[in-house]
Amino acid sequence: MLRRFRPGWAAAVVLALLAAPAPAQPDDLVKALATLKGVTKEGASNDAAGPAWKAVVDAGAPAFFPALAAVDDANPTAANWLRSAAEAITEKEKTARKRIDEAALEAFVLDTKYAPSARRLAYEVLSAQDRTAARLLPKLLDDPHPDLRREAIADGLTRLTGMGQALTLDKLFDYTRDKEQAEAIAKELEKAGKTVSVTEHFAFLTHFRVVGPFFSEKGKALTLNYPPETTPAAAEYDGKDGKVAWQPQSTAHKYGQLDLNDKVGRLKNACIYARATVHADKATPAEIRVGSPNAVAIYLNGKKLFGREEYHHGDQMDYHVGKGVLAAGENTVVVKVCQNNQTDSWAQRWQFQARVCDSTGGPIAGLTQVVDGRKLPLGATPQPETKK
Protein backbone atom coordinates (compact mmCIF):
# COMPACT_ATOMS: atom_id res chain seq x y z
CA MET A 1 0.00 0.00 0.00
CA LEU A 2 1.40 3.38 -0.99
CA ARG A 3 1.80 5.65 1.99
CA ARG A 4 1.26 9.36 1.76
CA PHE A 5 4.51 11.31 1.44
CA ARG A 6 5.01 13.77 4.26
CA PRO A 7 7.52 16.57 3.59
CA GLY A 8 10.31 16.58 6.13
CA TRP A 9 9.76 13.01 7.27
CA ALA A 10 12.83 11.75 5.44
CA ALA A 11 14.97 14.45 7.04
CA ALA A 12 13.72 13.37 10.41
CA VAL A 13 14.63 9.77 9.59
CA VAL A 14 18.20 10.71 8.71
CA LEU A 15 18.64 12.79 11.83
CA ALA A 16 17.27 9.94 13.88
CA LEU A 17 19.58 7.44 12.17
CA LEU A 18 22.53 9.52 13.30
CA ALA A 19 21.69 8.95 16.95
CA ALA A 20 20.82 5.96 19.08
CA PRO A 21 18.38 4.42 19.50
CA ALA A 22 17.34 3.48 15.95
CA PRO A 23 14.15 5.14 14.76
CA ALA A 24 10.90 3.24 14.94
CA GLN A 25 9.66 2.04 11.56
CA PRO A 26 6.45 0.35 10.51
CA ASP A 27 6.79 -3.36 11.12
CA ASP A 28 6.10 -4.28 7.51
CA LEU A 29 8.88 -1.99 6.28
CA VAL A 30 11.31 -3.32 8.88
CA LYS A 31 10.50 -6.90 7.83
CA ALA A 32 10.81 -6.07 4.14
CA LEU A 33 14.20 -4.43 4.61
CA ALA A 34 15.37 -7.38 6.72
CA THR A 35 14.30 -9.76 3.96
CA LEU A 36 16.26 -7.82 1.34
CA LYS A 37 19.33 -7.75 3.61
CA GLY A 38 19.05 -11.54 3.88
CA VAL A 39 19.40 -12.10 0.13
CA THR A 40 22.70 -13.76 -0.77
CA LYS A 41 24.57 -14.52 -3.97
CA GLU A 42 23.91 -18.19 -3.30
CA GLY A 43 20.15 -17.57 -3.52
CA ALA A 44 19.05 -17.42 0.13
CA SER A 45 15.80 -15.43 0.48
CA ASN A 46 15.58 -14.92 -3.29
CA ASP A 47 11.95 -16.11 -3.41
CA ALA A 48 10.93 -13.56 -0.79
CA ALA A 49 13.04 -10.76 -2.25
CA GLY A 50 10.60 -9.73 -4.97
CA PRO A 51 7.60 -9.16 -2.66
CA ALA A 52 9.86 -7.49 -0.09
CA TRP A 53 11.31 -5.17 -2.74
CA LYS A 54 7.77 -4.22 -3.82
CA ALA A 55 6.77 -3.57 -0.20
CA VAL A 56 9.71 -1.20 0.27
CA VAL A 57 8.98 0.64 -2.97
CA ASP A 58 5.25 0.83 -2.15
CA ALA A 59 6.17 2.46 1.15
CA GLY A 60 7.34 5.42 -0.90
CA ALA A 61 9.53 8.28 0.24
CA PRO A 62 9.46 7.30 3.94
CA ALA A 63 11.32 4.11 2.96
CA PHE A 64 14.00 5.85 0.88
CA PHE A 65 16.51 6.64 3.64
CA PRO A 66 15.93 3.45 5.65
CA ALA A 67 16.66 1.49 2.44
CA LEU A 68 19.89 3.43 1.87
CA ALA A 69 20.92 3.11 5.52
CA ALA A 70 20.35 -0.65 5.32
CA VAL A 71 23.10 -0.91 2.68
CA ASP A 72 25.71 -0.29 5.41
CA ASP A 73 26.49 -3.88 6.33
CA ALA A 74 24.70 -5.65 3.50
CA ASN A 75 26.43 -8.14 1.21
CA PRO A 76 26.84 -7.02 -2.44
CA THR A 77 23.75 -8.88 -3.66
CA ALA A 78 21.54 -7.52 -0.89
CA ALA A 79 22.99 -4.03 -1.39
CA ASN A 80 21.94 -4.16 -5.05
CA TRP A 81 18.36 -4.99 -4.03
CA LEU A 82 18.29 -2.12 -1.50
CA ARG A 83 19.76 0.47 -3.86
CA SER A 84 17.38 -0.67 -6.57
CA ALA A 85 14.44 -0.11 -4.21
CA ALA A 86 15.70 3.39 -3.37
CA GLU A 87 16.07 4.17 -7.08
CA ALA A 88 12.52 2.94 -7.78
CA ILE A 89 11.20 5.14 -4.97
CA THR A 90 13.01 8.11 -6.50
CA GLU A 91 11.39 7.44 -9.88
CA LYS A 92 7.95 7.14 -8.27
CA GLU A 93 8.40 10.45 -6.49
CA LYS A 94 9.61 12.08 -9.70
CA THR A 95 6.58 10.77 -11.61
CA ALA A 96 4.33 12.17 -8.88
CA ARG A 97 6.19 15.51 -9.17
CA LYS A 98 7.53 15.14 -5.65
CA ARG A 99 11.09 15.42 -4.40
CA ILE A 100 13.16 13.50 -1.91
CA ASP A 101 13.93 15.79 1.03
CA GLU A 102 17.05 17.68 -0.08
CA ALA A 103 18.29 18.66 3.37
CA ALA A 104 18.18 14.99 4.35
CA LEU A 105 19.94 14.00 1.12
CA GLU A 106 22.74 16.48 1.83
CA ALA A 107 23.13 15.20 5.38
CA PHE A 108 23.27 11.61 4.11
CA VAL A 109 25.88 12.41 1.44
CA LEU A 110 28.18 14.11 3.94
CA ASP A 111 27.89 11.44 6.62
CA THR A 112 30.80 9.04 6.02
CA LYS A 113 29.33 6.51 8.44
CA TYR A 114 27.03 5.30 5.69
CA ALA A 115 27.96 2.87 2.92
CA PRO A 116 29.87 4.62 0.10
CA SER A 117 27.57 3.28 -2.61
CA ALA A 118 24.49 4.51 -0.72
CA ARG A 119 26.04 7.96 -0.28
CA ARG A 120 26.89 8.00 -3.97
CA LEU A 121 23.26 7.27 -4.86
CA ALA A 122 22.07 9.99 -2.48
CA TYR A 123 24.39 12.45 -4.21
CA GLU A 124 23.07 11.45 -7.63
CA VAL A 125 19.47 11.96 -6.47
CA LEU A 126 20.37 15.32 -4.95
CA SER A 127 22.18 16.39 -8.14
CA ALA A 128 19.11 15.48 -10.22
CA GLN A 129 16.89 17.60 -7.98
CA ASP A 130 19.19 20.48 -7.09
CA ARG A 131 21.38 22.20 -9.68
CA THR A 132 23.59 23.56 -6.91
CA ALA A 133 24.46 20.13 -5.50
CA ALA A 134 28.07 20.61 -6.64
CA ARG A 135 28.41 23.01 -3.71
CA LEU A 136 29.08 19.89 -1.64
CA LEU A 137 32.10 18.81 -3.70
CA PRO A 138 34.73 20.90 -1.87
CA LYS A 139 33.71 19.01 1.28
CA LEU A 140 34.37 15.69 -0.47
CA LEU A 141 37.99 16.27 -1.56
CA ASP A 142 39.28 13.78 1.01
CA ASP A 143 36.22 11.56 1.01
CA PRO A 144 36.80 7.83 1.65
CA HIS A 145 34.60 6.97 -1.35
CA PRO A 146 36.85 6.96 -4.45
CA ASP A 147 34.11 8.06 -6.85
CA LEU A 148 32.96 11.00 -4.75
CA ARG A 149 36.58 12.01 -4.12
CA ARG A 150 37.40 11.77 -7.82
CA GLU A 151 34.41 13.92 -8.76
CA ALA A 152 35.34 16.50 -6.14
CA ILE A 153 38.90 16.73 -7.42
CA ALA A 154 37.72 16.92 -11.04
CA ASP A 155 35.49 19.81 -10.01
CA GLY A 156 38.43 21.45 -8.25
CA LEU A 157 40.58 21.13 -11.37
CA THR A 158 37.89 22.76 -13.47
CA ARG A 159 37.79 25.70 -11.13
CA LEU A 160 41.59 26.01 -11.27
CA THR A 161 42.03 25.87 -15.04
CA GLY A 162 44.00 28.86 -16.21
CA MET A 163 44.32 30.34 -12.75
CA GLY A 164 47.86 29.11 -12.05
CA GLN A 165 47.16 28.23 -8.45
CA ALA A 166 50.03 25.81 -7.99
CA LEU A 167 49.58 25.64 -4.24
CA THR A 168 46.03 24.39 -4.62
CA LEU A 169 47.18 21.98 -7.30
CA ASP A 170 49.53 20.61 -4.66
CA LYS A 171 46.56 19.98 -2.41
CA LEU A 172 44.56 18.34 -5.18
CA PHE A 173 47.54 16.07 -5.90
CA ASP A 174 47.67 15.11 -2.23
CA TYR A 175 43.94 14.39 -2.20
CA THR A 176 43.69 12.31 -5.35
CA ARG A 177 43.67 8.53 -5.25
CA ASP A 178 42.96 8.14 -8.95
CA LYS A 179 45.80 7.13 -11.28
CA GLU A 180 44.71 9.25 -14.26
CA GLN A 181 44.01 12.28 -12.09
CA ALA A 182 47.40 11.96 -10.40
CA GLU A 183 49.11 11.85 -13.80
CA ALA A 184 47.22 14.91 -15.04
CA ILE A 185 47.84 16.96 -11.90
CA ALA A 186 51.53 15.98 -11.81
CA LYS A 187 51.91 17.31 -15.36
CA GLU A 188 50.28 20.60 -14.39
CA LEU A 189 52.59 20.89 -11.40
CA GLU A 190 55.59 20.24 -13.62
CA LYS A 191 54.44 23.04 -15.91
CA ALA A 192 54.42 25.26 -12.82
CA GLY A 193 58.04 24.28 -12.14
CA LYS A 194 57.31 21.76 -9.38
CA THR A 195 58.50 18.19 -9.19
CA VAL A 196 56.32 15.51 -7.67
CA SER A 197 56.66 11.72 -7.58
CA VAL A 198 53.67 9.64 -8.58
CA THR A 199 55.58 6.59 -7.33
CA GLU A 200 55.89 8.07 -3.84
CA HIS A 201 52.36 9.45 -3.92
CA PHE A 202 51.02 5.91 -4.31
CA ALA A 203 53.61 4.50 -1.87
CA PHE A 204 54.88 1.71 -4.12
CA LEU A 205 57.43 -0.76 -2.81
CA THR A 206 60.46 -0.37 -5.05
CA HIS A 207 63.22 -2.36 -3.31
CA PHE A 208 62.93 -6.11 -2.74
CA ARG A 209 64.79 -9.27 -1.96
CA VAL A 210 63.62 -11.99 -4.39
CA VAL A 211 64.06 -15.74 -3.94
CA GLY A 212 63.18 -18.59 -6.27
CA PRO A 213 62.13 -20.20 -8.43
CA PHE A 214 60.11 -22.80 -6.56
CA PHE A 215 58.34 -25.66 -8.30
CA SER A 216 54.71 -25.17 -9.29
CA GLU A 217 53.26 -28.42 -10.63
CA LYS A 218 50.53 -27.62 -13.17
CA GLY A 219 50.66 -24.00 -12.07
CA LYS A 220 49.32 -24.81 -8.61
CA ALA A 221 52.06 -23.24 -6.48
CA LEU A 222 49.54 -21.11 -4.65
CA THR A 223 48.30 -24.30 -2.96
CA LEU A 224 51.84 -25.29 -1.95
CA ASN A 225 53.35 -23.71 1.15
CA TYR A 226 57.05 -22.96 0.90
CA PRO A 227 59.27 -21.79 3.81
CA PRO A 228 59.65 -18.11 2.70
CA GLU A 229 55.99 -17.63 3.67
CA THR A 230 56.58 -18.27 7.36
CA THR A 231 60.37 -17.99 7.75
CA PRO A 232 61.32 -15.12 5.45
CA ALA A 233 64.57 -14.44 7.30
CA ALA A 234 66.24 -17.75 6.36
CA ALA A 235 69.43 -17.43 4.32
CA GLU A 236 68.55 -20.10 1.73
CA TYR A 237 65.89 -22.61 0.75
CA ASP A 238 65.42 -25.69 -1.41
CA GLY A 239 64.23 -24.30 -4.72
CA LYS A 240 63.06 -25.80 -8.01
CA ASP A 241 66.60 -26.39 -9.28
CA GLY A 242 68.60 -26.53 -6.04
CA LYS A 243 69.47 -24.15 -3.24
CA VAL A 244 68.20 -20.57 -3.67
CA ALA A 245 68.85 -17.40 -1.66
CA TRP A 246 67.38 -13.92 -1.49
CA GLN A 247 68.73 -11.60 -4.18
CA PRO A 248 68.34 -7.79 -4.20
CA GLN A 249 66.05 -6.41 -6.89
CA SER A 250 64.65 -2.95 -7.41
CA THR A 251 62.45 -1.12 -9.87
CA ALA A 252 62.41 2.42 -11.21
CA HIS A 253 59.06 1.91 -12.93
CA LYS A 254 56.69 4.78 -12.16
CA TYR A 255 54.08 2.32 -10.91
CA GLY A 256 56.46 0.00 -9.12
CA GLN A 257 56.27 -2.82 -11.63
CA LEU A 258 58.89 -5.57 -11.24
CA ASP A 259 59.28 -7.66 -14.42
CA LEU A 260 60.13 -11.20 -13.26
CA ASN A 261 60.86 -12.40 -16.80
CA ASP A 262 63.67 -9.85 -16.77
CA LYS A 263 64.74 -10.28 -13.14
CA VAL A 264 64.38 -14.07 -12.71
CA GLY A 265 63.89 -15.58 -16.18
CA ARG A 266 61.13 -16.72 -18.50
CA LEU A 267 59.94 -19.64 -16.42
CA LYS A 268 56.78 -21.72 -16.40
CA ASN A 269 55.23 -23.75 -13.59
CA ALA A 270 57.22 -21.68 -11.12
CA CYS A 271 56.79 -19.22 -8.32
CA ILE A 272 58.98 -16.70 -6.53
CA TYR A 273 58.80 -14.67 -3.34
CA ALA A 274 59.57 -10.95 -3.12
CA ARG A 275 60.36 -9.56 0.33
CA ALA A 276 60.35 -5.92 1.43
CA THR A 277 60.93 -4.35 4.83
CA VAL A 278 58.60 -1.55 5.92
CA HIS A 279 59.25 0.47 9.07
CA ALA A 280 56.28 1.95 10.93
CA ASP A 281 56.66 4.60 13.62
CA LYS A 282 53.72 3.00 15.45
CA ALA A 283 51.25 0.16 15.05
CA THR A 284 49.28 1.10 11.93
CA PRO A 285 46.36 -0.46 10.05
CA ALA A 286 47.34 -0.74 6.40
CA GLU A 287 46.42 -2.30 3.09
CA ILE A 288 48.99 -4.10 0.94
CA ARG A 289 47.70 -3.76 -2.62
CA VAL A 290 49.14 -5.80 -5.48
CA GLY A 291 48.59 -5.71 -9.22
CA SER A 292 49.69 -8.73 -11.29
CA PRO A 293 48.49 -10.89 -14.19
CA ASN A 294 49.62 -13.94 -12.19
CA ALA A 295 48.41 -15.83 -9.14
CA VAL A 296 49.33 -13.90 -5.99
CA ALA A 297 49.51 -14.32 -2.23
CA ILE A 298 50.34 -11.57 0.28
CA TYR A 299 51.98 -12.10 3.68
CA LEU A 300 52.69 -9.68 6.52
CA ASN A 301 55.13 -10.74 9.24
CA GLY A 302 54.56 -14.41 8.38
CA LYS A 303 50.75 -14.18 8.33
CA LYS A 304 48.85 -14.74 5.11
CA LEU A 305 46.56 -11.81 4.34
CA PHE A 306 45.38 -12.70 0.85
CA GLY A 307 45.64 -15.30 -1.91
CA ARG A 308 44.04 -15.75 -5.33
CA GLU A 309 44.65 -18.52 -7.87
CA GLU A 310 43.96 -16.57 -11.04
CA TYR A 311 46.10 -16.20 -14.14
CA HIS A 312 46.19 -13.67 -16.97
CA HIS A 313 42.94 -11.85 -16.23
CA GLY A 314 44.57 -8.44 -16.39
CA ASP A 315 46.94 -6.70 -14.04
CA GLN A 316 45.05 -3.67 -12.84
CA MET A 317 46.65 -1.63 -10.10
CA ASP A 318 45.27 -2.61 -6.66
CA TYR A 319 43.50 -5.70 -8.06
CA HIS A 320 44.52 -7.74 -5.00
CA VAL A 321 44.24 -6.32 -1.47
CA GLY A 322 45.55 -7.72 1.80
CA LYS A 323 44.49 -5.94 4.99
CA GLY A 324 46.54 -6.06 8.17
CA VAL A 325 48.19 -4.07 10.94
CA LEU A 326 51.83 -3.03 10.70
CA ALA A 327 53.67 -3.42 13.98
CA ALA A 328 55.72 -0.58 15.42
CA GLY A 329 59.24 -1.00 14.01
CA GLU A 330 60.24 -3.19 11.07
CA ASN A 331 57.69 -5.32 9.22
CA THR A 332 58.28 -7.99 6.60
CA VAL A 333 56.03 -7.87 3.56
CA VAL A 334 56.22 -10.91 1.28
CA VAL A 335 54.47 -11.24 -2.08
CA LYS A 336 54.27 -14.67 -3.71
CA VAL A 337 53.91 -14.54 -7.50
CA CYS A 338 53.15 -17.71 -9.46
CA GLN A 339 53.37 -18.39 -13.20
CA ASN A 340 51.47 -21.24 -14.86
CA ASN A 341 52.26 -23.21 -18.01
CA GLN A 342 50.10 -21.45 -20.63
CA THR A 343 51.97 -20.97 -23.91
CA ASP A 344 49.82 -18.20 -25.44
CA SER A 345 51.76 -15.03 -26.20
CA TRP A 346 49.52 -13.02 -23.86
CA ALA A 347 50.21 -15.47 -21.05
CA GLN A 348 53.95 -14.84 -20.93
CA ARG A 349 53.84 -11.83 -18.63
CA TRP A 350 55.17 -12.54 -15.15
CA GLN A 351 55.28 -9.37 -13.08
CA PHE A 352 53.78 -7.54 -10.15
CA GLN A 353 53.56 -4.19 -8.42
CA ALA A 354 52.90 -3.71 -4.69
CA ARG A 355 52.17 -0.77 -2.45
CA VAL A 356 51.33 -0.08 1.20
CA CYS A 357 48.56 2.44 1.78
CA ASP A 358 45.55 3.37 3.87
CA SER A 359 41.97 2.28 3.15
CA THR A 360 41.48 5.17 0.70
CA GLY A 361 44.58 4.21 -1.28
CA GLY A 362 46.59 7.12 0.10
CA PRO A 363 50.07 7.17 1.63
CA ILE A 364 50.43 6.63 5.38
CA ALA A 365 52.49 9.02 7.47
CA GLY A 366 55.28 7.41 9.47
CA LEU A 367 56.07 4.59 7.02
CA THR A 368 59.42 4.09 5.30
CA GLN A 369 61.02 1.29 3.32
CA VAL A 370 64.21 -0.11 4.82
CA VAL A 371 66.91 -0.75 2.20
CA ASP A 372 70.35 -1.95 3.30
CA GLY A 373 69.82 -0.38 6.70
CA ARG A 374 68.64 2.96 5.30
CA LYS A 375 65.11 4.31 5.65
CA LEU A 376 63.76 5.57 2.33
CA PRO A 377 60.34 6.98 1.47
CA LEU A 378 57.94 4.42 0.09
CA GLY A 379 58.15 4.85 -3.68
CA ALA A 380 61.76 6.05 -3.70
CA THR A 381 63.25 4.79 -6.97
CA PRO A 382 66.86 3.66 -7.42
CA GLN A 383 67.45 5.38 -10.77
CA PRO A 384 65.55 7.20 -13.51
CA GLU A 385 63.07 5.05 -15.37
CA THR A 386 64.39 3.85 -18.72
CA LYS A 387 61.53 1.77 -19.99
CA LYS A 388 58.09 0.38 -19.14
Side-chain angles (χ1 to χ4, degrees):
M1 176 179 171
L2 182 63
R3 290 179 171 81
R4 183 182 177 85
F5 176 70
R6 291 174 291 165
W9 189 94
V13 168
V14 169
L15 293 175
L17 284 169
L18 298 177
Q25 298 171 9
D27 288 344
D28 56 347
L29 176 57
V30 172
K31 291 178 182 176
L33 291 173
T35 298
L36 292 183
K37 291 192 72 169
V39 178
T40 67
K41 184 179 180 181
E42 292 73 28
S45 300
N46 268 345
D47 291 343
W53 182 89
K54 186 175 184 303
V56 173
V57 175
D58 284 350
F64 178 84
F65 289 104
L68 286 188
V71 175
D72 285 359
D73 56 351
N75 68 67
T77 303
N80 284 338
W81 278 97
L82 292 162
R83 286 195 300 269
S84 173
E87 289 172 342
I89 291 170
T90 303
E91 288 302 312
K92 280 186 62 178
E93 294 300 297
K94 182 179 178 181
T95 301
R97 297 182 180 279
K98 297 178 181 177
R99 302 159 75 93
I100 302 296
D101 187 281
E102 290 166 1
L105 282 168
E106 181 171 336
F108 197 95
V109 170
L110 295 177
D111 193 335
T112 57
K113 290 186 298 185
Y114 292 116
S117 63
R119 294 176 56 232
R120 175 72 202 185
L121 177 56
Y123 180 74
E124 290 173 358
V125 173
L126 180 63
S127 296
Q129 294 186 175
D130 180 358
R131 293 181 179 178
T132 70
R135 68 184 182 280
L136 301 184
L137 292 177
K139 300 178 181 179
L140 303 174
L141 284 168
D142 61 349
D143 197 85
H145 189 289
D147 288 348
L148 290 173
R149 179 190 288 251
R150 189 180 194 287
E151 188 158 343
I153 293 171
D155 176 73
L157 285 170
T158 300
R159 296 174 190 275
L160 284 173
T161 300
M163 297 177 65
Q165 297 186 28
L167 180 61
T168 305
L169 271 176
D170 286 337
K171 292 180 179 177
L172 293 177
F173 184 73
D174 289 341
Y175 283 134
T176 189
R177 302 291 182 265
D178 181 87
K179 181 179 175 182
E180 284 70 29
Q181 274 189 338
E183 286 271 4
I185 298 173
K187 288 180 180 177
E188 292 300 317
L189 285 168
E190 289 172 1
K191 290 179 183 176
K194 296 203 171 191
T195 301
V196 294
S197 168
V198 171
T199 317
E200 291 186 21
H201 176 72
F202 286 112
F204 282 104
L205 297 172
T206 50
H207 296 76
F208 297 92
R209 296 276 175 174
V210 175
V211 68
F214 293 86
F215 190 60
S216 175
E217 184 179 6
K218 297 180 179 178
K220 294 293 183 181
L222 208 67
T223 64
L224 304 174
N225 299 318
Y226 290 113
E229 298 170 13
T230 53
T231 55
E236 63 179 16
Y237 309 92
D238 292 323
K240 182 179 181 180
D241 302 313
K243 295 291 184 182
V244 291
W246 296 102
Q247 302 296 328
Q249 298 287 359
S250 61
T251 175
H253 191 280
K254 182 186 292 185
Y255 292 98
Q257 187 181 101
L258 195 69
D259 187 339
L260 297 173
N261 285 325
D262 178 50
K263 302 292 185 181
V264 180
R266 293 186 175 276
L267 304 176
K268 288 293 184 181
N269 284 334
C271 78
I272 62 91
Y273 294 88
R275 185 186 77 191
T277 302
V278 176
H279 183 278
D281 288 346
K282 60 182 180 181
T284 308
E287 294 188 358
I288 301 170
R289 300 186 179 187
V290 175
S292 174
N294 311 100
V296 161
I298 303 169
Y299 301 83
L300 173 61
N301 296 329
K303 178 183 178 182
K304 185 176 182 179
L305 301 182
F306 175 89
R308 178 174 290 163
E309 185 83 38
E310 182 177 290
Y311 291 91
H312 312 304
H313 286 182
D315 61 347
Q316 302 96 322
M317 180 173 146
D318 297 346
Y319 189 61
H320 309 293
V321 180
K323 299 180 181 180
V325 178
L326 297 168
E330 292 191 356
N331 297 264
T332 300
V333 175
V334 172
V335 180
K336 181 179 184 179
V337 190
C338 309
Q339 174 66 301
N340 65 1
N341 59 354
Q342 286 181 255
T343 57
D344 311 84
S345 58
W346 45 263
Q348 304 311 303
R349 291 188 303 157
W350 190 23
Q351 62 196 41
F352 76 100
Q353 60 182 188
R355 67 191 188 106
V356 182
C357 58
D358 64 20
S359 60
T360 72
I364 301 174
L367 300 190
T368 49
Q369 186 168 0
V370 182
V371 182
D372 296 330
R374 297 176 298 149
K375 292 181 181 178
L376 303 177
L378 290 179
T381 53
Q383 69 275 328
E385 181 180 358
T386 56
K387 66 178 181 178
K388 292 184 178 179

